[in-house]
Amino acid sequence: METRDVDKERSELRFAAMNLLARREHSRQELERKLSARSSNNALLAQVLDQLAEQGLQSEQRFAEAFIRSRITRGQGLYRIQQELRQRGVADSITGVALEEIEIDWFELAKETALRRFGEMPAKDPKERAKRMRFLQYRGFSSDQIQYAMS
């Protein structure tokens, strides 16, 4: 490939990455997946992503913080958030730091989520109670948090 072609492809990849990042934060893995359709040159793609990270335009830390805030707003618990960040290629160490910076009472969030979904009325029978518990478990809350929310 000629250097002019490589330069053109590099600038097109950078432009596409910047467009994606302008809409919302992305993890490196997400950008890689979305941009790999545009280029068969993995080394060039890695180079562009490295540059974006060096320039502070793409940050795993910023992505993790924004992701966590959005998931808390949706009423998701710690376990689900951690799992989804792992699936998006964010290291556990970065997730841990981002979680420390966000002050959240997971017990109260579980209770608010249950209230939003099921209202003030207590479960009428054990079957309904189990349904509510499964819902909170799916949302990523611990058994202690679920018990608190159900009481």
Side-chain angles (χ1 to χ4, degrees), residues 32-45:
E32 220 169 274
R33 182 180 46 80
K34 289 179 178 184
L35 296 173
S36 63
R38 294 176 177 264
S39 173
S40 59
N41 188 341
N42 291 337
L44 183 62
L45 178 57

Side-chain angles (χ1 to χ4, degrees), residues 12-129:
E12 286 173 356
L13 282 173
R14 183 179 170 82
F15 183 75
M18 295 294 290
N19 280 338
L20 290 169
L21 289 168
R23 289 187 204 115
R24 71 168 176 86
E25 294 289 341
H26 284 74
S27 69
R28 181 183 176 103
Q29 182 178 306
E30 284 180 325
L31 283 176
E32 220 169 274
R33 182 180 46 80
K34 289 179 178 184
L35 296 173
S36 63
R38 294 176 177 264
S39 173
S40 59
N41 188 341
N42 291 337
L44 183 62
L45 178 57
Q47 190 181 59
V48 168
L49 294 175
D50 289 342
Q51 265 183 345
L52 291 171
E54 287 168 13
Q55 295 167 345
L57 299 170
Q58 187 276 325
S59 165
E60 295 289 296
Q61 187 69 37
R62 267 196 329 261
F63 169 75
E65 290 168 3
F67 187 87
I68 291 167
R69 280 192 304 274
S70 76
R71 291 314 192 252
I72 287 172
T73 304
R74 289 185 186 181
Q76 290 184 354
L78 176 64
Y79 298 140
R80 173 110 182 240
I81 292 170
Q82 288 174 325
Q83 177 189 13
E84 287 187 15
L85 282 168
R86 267 188 220 108
Q87 288 173 346
R88 285 167 172 76
V90 178
D92 289 341
S93 58
I94 292 172
T95 300
V97 170
L99 284 166
E100 285 174 14
E101 291 180 12
I102 294 176
E103 296 178 22
I104 181 77
D105 183 347
W106 296 105
F107 288 89
E108 284 301 316
L109 181 62
K111 188 174 185 176
E112 289 169 20
T113 302
L115 281 173
R116 235 184 336 204
R117 178 78 163 109
F118 301 108
E120 298 277 338
M121 294 293 294
K124 59 183 180 280
D125 57 20
K127 187 176 176 182
E128 177 67 21
R129 182 173 170 78

